[in-house]
Amino acid sequence: MNDNEKQTSSVMIKIASFIVDKRMLFFLIYIIALIFSFFSSNWVNVENDLAAYLSGDTETRQGLDLMEEQFTTFGTAKVMVANITWEEARMLKNRIAEMDGVQSVGFTEETEEEKEFVKHYNDGGALYSLTFNYDEDDPRALESLNNVKSELSSYDLYVSTSLGNQQAEIIENEMKTIIALVAVVVVGVLLFTSESFGEIPVLGLTFLVSMLLNGGTNFFFGTISFVSNSVSSILQLALSVDYAIILCNRYKEEYAGGLSVRDACIVALSKSIPEILSSSLTTISGLFALVFMHYKIGADMGIILIKAILLSLLTVFTLMPGLIVLFSGVMEKTKHKSFVPKITVVGKFDYLTRAIIPILFVGVFVMAFHFSKSCPYVYGYSTLSTPVLNEVQISDNLITDTFGRENLLAVVVPGHDHPSEKKFLEALTARPEVHHCQGLANTEAMGGYMLTDTLTPRQLSELVGVDFELIELLYSAYAAEQEEYGRIIGGISSYKVPLMDILMYIYEKVEEGYVTLDPDVYRTLSDAYEQISNGRKQLEGPDHDRILVYLNLPEESDETFAFIDEIHTMAAEYYDDQPVLVVGESTSQKDLRASFETDNLIVSIVSVLFVLVILLFTFKSAGMPVLLIAVIEGAIFMNFSFPTIMKENIFFMGYLIVSSIQMGANIDYAIVISSRYTELRKTIDRKQSIIEALNFAFPTIITSGSMMILAGVFLSQITSDPCIAGIGECLARGTSISVVLVMFVLPQILLIGDRIIQKTAFDVAMPVRTREEHGTIMVNGAIRGTVNGTVIGTMNAVVRGEVKAVVVSGTMENASQEALKPAQAIEDKMFAYRKDEEAERTVVAEQGEDPSPGGKEETDEREAADPGEKGGKDAGKKD
């Protein structure tokens, strides 16, 4: 080791010793943290609206913020009662209207022959559009709806509403089921791949604690998206399972070498920390690319998942060593043979097809790239389906199938310009894309007059049946309050006031006791006042008016998006290019599509760049990162070619999230194989190197890959949310493709690109220094020199001189000259290139590790096949 490496190793040993020796302290800390997380997980606010994460410069976000500031949006619901007659439906309408909290009930009074009939009664079902007296965020609105459902419980009832968090509660219950199934899968996989049943509680407790801490620490972010809240725990397990397995395997190696439980755990942890941190960097970098998305849900998911990975690292480094010591006796007593088979046949196949598969892969890569560019992404739920439907979706689908789907847009226009609004409404209504519109200027108040129509005193007197002189007096008082004194002097009889303004003014004066009206007139006025007041709250704000536009177009289509632009063009004619905002599901999806076009490019480029930089310094070769990224990019292209080929729509977030996971996490599979292959190529030929590299990597790939694939399958098949189901489907398919490519394509590419990798290798030349220590010394790595003293441990070396020792296991014999040739060659090379990069890589990369994936058992098999191999390999490790 050079000075820096020795110092680093010493620091790692000290850190590991502290963690292992103070394990009871760490247990106490984790117990306290878990208690906090148990409570804090209930304090996390979950945002269920994807539009909430749109950037502030999008039309949807600006419109939603402005509407929240300017208007009142009452709680609404669609209630369908099936299997009733027309007469029963009409009677039920009156019954619902009298219920507490119900402001109005939308239901046609037309006969069966009239055109509006089928909008509210069709195929034996009646549809009621309910508006409640309370704001949509007011709990009393949901309470009123529950009262309606209770009153109508004897009917065949279906309800569609955005009130409450029913959908969120359903998803939460689905996630609990999925997590339980994933836990069963984890135990099953570990039973198959582990070498001791005692490993399962160690690994299981480590996973469980990290997941609980992740859920509890979400509290510090205040509000997170329902997507992050739902899938972060499952993805955390799938993405970070390797870290615990690496440490567990290291411990077993050190313990098998003769160290005590404590010492084996310390040495294993000191070696695993750098290795695990290196592995986690690619995963974190892939997820970090999500933070750069314009659509802020990417940052939400990226940060939550990165936090999950960091917490997994923390628990592996600080909790798991104590658990290993705690369960060490159980692990020793419950040892069993690993059921993971050797895949030598795969390695031989890869070697035989090294000249064919890369060519085929290039062709598939090009075709997959072409198809993936045509992937039918969608940005809303209207065209998506899931394998399972919850009760909310069943109600929505039944109402849609019976009465059709409404596509509502809210157009926010400059306020108090009623003439322009009237013209704009007329222009919109005349368009074939529009079913109908509603605004102040076309909402009837009474007697055929609209709310914004201006009436003289004579016209109002005739309309409401009140004495003309009294109406003139009220008009004069109104003009005085408005400081329009010229109207009083010039003749109040010609003074025109908007109907909604004067009616509300008269009602207020009656309530204040200044005016007395006939009871029938007062009742009519009172009803008009309530309707006008509620209508103005919804459609009129301090500075803006709101127009509701119901389209004949689907929520998501190019035609719909084009018509939204047309609405802006039309509005500019009547409002002199003043700002007009269009808000609705269609606008949200239009904004998401525009955002995706940018985010797609950002995520793709940033994730590749981050991973490329990490791989450059990991392999110290310019060629290796390019080959690995090409394989994983091919897997990504293939993954998102399937929707194109199968003509199935896919929610756009599935691509953004899963492509980052594939680039950041699935590439670890390729790294494991490539690292082992590069290490083995220093001592054995290409064929044997690729075979042994695959045998070494297969347990890791099958463990992590199977967990991630099955987690994706459960997400796609059990959840009823299209966004989460889409992520699961893409994750399962993408991971499956990645596993196949790294097992059946990457090896051939490494074999063909072997020379490229070597020629593009680089390093910073550092001198090899001779170190001298005295006393009790721990040696961990490949060394060359003289040892004088008692040696306790496992040796794999060529010794020139005299050895006097008890052979506890293995063999000790004089080496033949033929067997020493490889050792001499390596020694000559070290002297000739002492300051060359290759000497430093040999010292660092082969720190006391047996390069064979199967340990001593597989080494013995190779020695039996080639008796001369042992000397060459051991000489290499000695040097």
Side-chain angles (χ1 to χ4, degrees):
M1 289 187 182
N2 59 38
D3 290 339
N4 290 335
E5 290 169 339
K6 179 176 175 56
Q7 184 178 3
T8 301
S9 177
S10 176
V11 171
M12 287 293 104
I13 289 291
K14 289 179 180 178
I15 294 174
S17 299
F18 176 80
I19 292 172
V20 173
D21 293 338
K22 302 296 182 182
R23 56 188 177 276
M24 300 308 295
L25 173 62
F26 282 102
F27 287 163
L28 178 61
I29 293 173
Y30 275 105
I31 290 172
I32 296 172
L34 287 173
I35 293 173
F36 171 79
S37 295
F38 176 79
F39 292 101
S40 64
S41 60
N42 297 317
W43 305 336
V44 180
N45 296 318
V46 179
E47 177 58 67
N48 298 302
D49 184 10
L50 292 176
Y53 292 92
L54 284 167
S55 176
D57 58 0
T58 59
E59 183 175 15
T60 300
R61 186 71 266 152
Q62 293 176 2
L64 290 173
D65 292 341
L66 186 61
M67 288 197 300
E68 184 176 358
E69 173 190 332
Q70 294 275 319
F71 309 106
T72 298
T73 301
F74 291 109
T76 61
K78 289 182 178 180
V79 177
M80 174 182 168
V81 181
N83 304 314
I84 60 172
T85 65
W86 166 242
E87 289 301 325
E88 289 175 324
R90 295 182 64 182
M91 293 175 61
L92 195 58
K93 180 254 186 181
N94 297 327
R95 179 180 167 186
I96 296 173
E98 294 173 358
M99 294 180 184
D100 292 340
V102 177
Q103 181 186 122
S104 64
V105 180
F107 187 77
T108 183
E109 292 294 332
E110 298 180 353
T111 63
E112 297 187 27
E113 290 75 22
E114 296 180 290
K115 63 180 182 179
E116 292 296 305
F117 177 78
V118 294
K119 287 176 56 180
H120 294 278
Y121 186 84
N122 186 35
D123 198 22
L127 180 63
Y128 305 96
S129 298
L130 275 59
T131 301
F132 300 102
N133 290 324
Y134 313 106
D135 187 277
E136 62 180 354
D137 296 325
D138 192 324
R140 292 176 294 177
L142 181 59
E143 183 180 340
S144 299
L145 174 60
N146 290 333
N147 289 338
V148 172
K149 292 164 68 175
S150 178
E151 288 288 331
L152 303 181
S153 59
S154 60
Y155 291 91
D156 191 3
L157 197 67
Y158 302 91
V159 178
S160 175
T161 183
S162 60
L163 298 177
N165 294 316
Q166 188 176 3
Q167 182 77 3
E169 293 170 359
I170 291 172
I171 294 174
E172 183 179 355
N173 291 330
E174 291 172 347
M175 288 303 111
K176 291 178 180 177
T177 302
I178 293 172
I179 289 174
L181 290 173
V182 170
V184 173
V185 167
V186 169
V187 173
V189 172
L190 292 179
L191 284 172
F192 178 73
T193 59
S194 67
E195 297 177 349
S196 168
F197 296 124
E199 297 174 23
I200 296 175
V202 174
L203 297 172
L205 286 172
T206 304
F207 299 152
L208 180 62
V209 170
S210 64
M211 289 168 61
L212 293 175
L213 290 179
N214 186 48
T217 52
N218 287 335
F219 160 72
F220 295 109
F221 294 96
T223 301
I224 64 174
S225 70
F226 77 94
V227 181
S228 298
N229 188 58
S230 300
V231 305
S232 60
S233 294
I234 297 171
L235 293 181
Q236 176 186 13
L237 173 61
L239 292 172
S240 59
V241 64
D242 290 350
Y243 311 150
I245 293 174
I246 289 173
L247 177 57
C248 189
N249 289 339
R250 276 288 188 184
Y251 164 76
K252 289 184 293 184
E253 290 177 10
E254 300 300 333
Y255 184 71
L259 296 179
S260 65
V261 170
R262 173 188 175 276
D263 292 343
C265 199
I266 291 173
V267 174
L269 181 59
S270 66
K271 290 181 178 180
S272 297
I273 289 176
E275 183 179 353
I276 293 172
L277 287 176
S278 299
S279 175
S280 67
L281 280 177
T282 54
T283 303
I284 292 174
S285 63
L287 295 173
F288 192 64
L290 295 173
V291 177
F292 292 87
M293 285 173 54
H294 193 64
Y295 184 35
K296 298 307 177 185
I297 201 170
D300 178 85
M301 278 212 70
I303 292 172
I304 295 298
L305 287 175
I306 288 173
K307 174 174 68 69
I309 298 300
L310 294 177
L311 286 172
S312 295
L313 292 172
L314 183 66
T315 53
V316 168
F317 293 155
T318 59
L319 174 65
M320 188 174 170
L323 293 175
I324 290 175
V325 175
L326 185 64
F327 286 91
S328 59
V330 179
M331 292 171 64
E332 182 66 20
K333 292 177 182 178
T334 58
K335 284 184 177 180
H336 64 82
K337 183 179 179 181
S338 175
F339 302 107
V340 180
K342 298 294 181 183
I343 55 169
T344 303
V345 64
V346 175
K348 292 179 178 179
F349 170 81
D350 291 344
Y351 185 79
L352 291 174
T353 58
R354 64 189 182 278
I356 302 173
I357 295 297
I359 297 174
L360 295 176
F361 174 71
V362 171
V364 173
F365 184 96
V366 173
M367 288 191 294
F369 174 79
H370 170 73
F371 283 120
S372 66
K373 292 305 176 184
S374 304
C375 188
Y377 299 112
V378 294
Y379 309 91
Y381 288 179
S382 60
T383 60
L384 296 174
S385 60
T386 55
V388 295
L389 296 175
N390 58 51
E391 58 185 73
V392 174
Q393 292 169 322
I394 291 172
S395 295
D396 288 341
N397 291 345
L398 186 59
I399 292 173
T400 299
D401 293 342
T402 307
F403 297 98
R405 184 185 297 275
E406 281 188 345
N407 186 9
L408 170 64
L409 296 177
V411 183
V412 182
V413 299
H416 313 301
D417 188 355
H418 300 145
S420 295
E421 181 178 323
K422 184 175 182 179
K423 294 177 182 177
F424 185 37
L425 281 164
E426 290 173 350
L428 285 172
T429 305
R431 294 296 298 256
E433 297 91 345
V434 176
H435 185 275
H436 70 281
C437 301
Q438 183 182 4
L440 291 173
N442 71 342
T443 299
E444 184 176 350
M446 54 194 306
Y449 288 104
M450 303 301 155
L451 288 174
T452 59
D453 287 348
T454 55
L455 277 68
T456 64
R458 174 68 65 186
Q459 290 172 315
L460 182 62
S461 173
E462 295 173 353
L463 177 65
V464 298
V466 177
D467 183 69
F468 174 68
E469 286 74 14
L470 177 59
I471 295 296
E472 272 197 320
L473 181 62
L474 290 169
Y475 264 67
S476 298
Y478 178 84
E481 285 195 10
Q482 302 298 316
E483 298 183 355
E484 297 182 3
Y485 302 110
R487 294 288 187 179
I488 301 174
I489 298 173
I492 201 67
S493 61
S494 61
Y495 182 31
K496 287 188 173 185
V497 179
L499 178 58
M500 60 182 182
D501 292 339
I502 194 63
L503 284 179
M504 295 187 71
Y505 177 78
I506 294 173
Y507 178 82
E508 291 167 359
K509 296 306 172 185
V510 171
E511 291 297 304
E512 292 170 4
Y514 294 112
V515 179
T516 302
L517 298 176
D518 180 81
D520 291 337
V521 175
Y522 174 75
R523 190 160 43 250
T524 301
L525 181 62
S526 179
D527 291 342
Y529 175 84
E530 183 178 359
Q531 295 177 18
I532 292 171
S533 177
N534 290 332
R536 295 185 78 165
K537 287 178 182 178
Q538 297 182 82
L539 301 176
E540 183 182 47
D543 306 305
H544 297 82
D545 289 345
R546 179 162 60 176
I547 297 172
L548 304 181
V549 182
Y550 295 83
L551 301 181
N552 292 320
L553 301 172
E555 280 187 5
E556 184 174 352
S557 69
D558 291 336
E559 186 182 2
T560 304
F561 297 157
F563 186 67
I564 292 174
D565 294 333
E566 183 65 20
I567 290 175
H568 283 285
T569 303
M570 295 170 63
E573 298 179 13
Y574 303 102
Y575 291 99
D576 299 327
D577 293 325
Q578 296 181 69
V580 171
L581 297 174
V582 181
V583 186
E585 288 295 331
S586 294
T587 312
S588 174
Q589 292 164 27
K590 180 173 181 286
D591 288 337
L592 287 173
R593 184 171 74 167
S595 174
F596 174 71
E597 293 173 355
T598 303
D599 290 339
N600 182 14
L601 186 63
I602 290 175
V603 170
S604 300
I605 293 177
V606 172
S607 61
V608 168
L609 287 178
F610 282 167
V611 172
L612 179 63
V613 171
I614 292 170
L615 294 181
L616 276 172
F617 289 97
T618 299
F619 289 101
K620 298 179 181 178
S621 167
M624 180 68 84
V626 173
L627 297 178
L628 299 188
I629 289 175
V631 171
I632 298 302
E633 276 292 350
I636 294 173
F637 293 151
M638 292 178 198
N639 188 13
F640 294 96
S641 294
F642 276 83
T644 304
I645 297 170
M646 301 172 68
K647 297 182 179 179
E648 292 182 354
N649 291 335
I650 177 175
F651 196 61
F652 76 104
M653 280 183 58
Y655 172 80
L656 294 173
I657 294 171
V658 175
S659 63
S660 296
I661 291 175
Q662 280 191 261
M663 181 53 66
N666 290 169
I667 201 169
D668 283 348
Y669 308 153
I671 292 173
V672 172
I673 293 175
S674 304
S675 299
R676 195 66 172 182
Y677 172 77
T678 304
E679 180 182 345
L680 292 170
R681 278 292 289 125
K682 297 170 185 175
T683 56
I684 55 180
D685 61 27
R686 289 189 301 166
K687 179 179 180 180
Q688 197 62 28
S689 294
I690 205 64
I691 292 173
E692 294 191 12
L694 287 171
N695 278 325
F696 172 82
F698 184 63
T700 300
I701 295 173
I702 196 64
T703 302
S704 175
S706 60
M707 289 183 185
M708 192 173 295
I709 291 169
L710 290 173
V713 170
F714 291 147
L715 283 173
S716 65
Q717 298 299 314
I718 296 177
T719 183
S720 56
D721 183 83
C723 175
I724 298 173
I727 292 173
E729 180 182 355
C730 294
L731 180 65
R733 186 174 59 228
T735 304
S736 300
I737 295 172
S738 297
V739 169
V740 171
L741 290 188
V742 298
M743 298 295 291
F744 294 97
V745 175
L746 176 64
Q748 290 90 326
I749 292 178
L750 291 176
L751 290 167
I752 295 298
D754 189 83
R755 184 169 298 178
I756 297 175
I757 296 170
Q758 292 180 11
K759 287 189 174 295
T760 58
F762 63 89
D763 204 347
V764 179
M766 299 182 67
V768 179
R769 300 177 182 177
T770 300
R771 302 293 304 170
E772 183 176 350
E773 298 290 344
H774 302 277
T776 302
I777 305 158
M778 289 189 67
V779 180
N780 179 21
I783 65 170
R784 180 187 183 280
T786 301
V787 178
N788 183 19
T790 301
V791 177
I792 303 173
T794 302
M795 292 188 66
N796 185 6
V798 172
V799 178
R800 290 191 176 89
E802 180 181 347
V803 177
K804 183 178 182 181
V806 176
V807 180
V808 179
S809 63
T811 61
M812 181 173 70
E813 58 188 19
N814 286 324
S816 65
Q817 289 299 318
E818 185 67 24
L820 288 174
K821 286 183 179 179
Q824 184 62 49
I826 294 176
E827 184 176 32
D828 293 343
K829 187 175 183 180
M830 287 187 67
F831 279 110
Y833 302 99
R834 176 176 293 272
K835 294 183 180 181
D836 189 78
E837 60 196 31
E838 195 63 29
E840 183 63 18
R841 183 177 296 139
T842 303
V843 174
V844 176
E846 298 188 359
Q847 293 181 3
E849 296 180 12
D850 186 347
S852 71
K856 181 181 181 303
E857 181 179 330
E858 188 169 355
T859 302
D860 292 342
E861 293 175 3
R862 291 200 305 272
E863 289 172 0
D866 184 0
E869 183 179 343
K870 179 178 184 298
K873 182 189 71 175
D874 289 352
K877 291 190 69 64
K878 178 65 177 175
D879 285 55

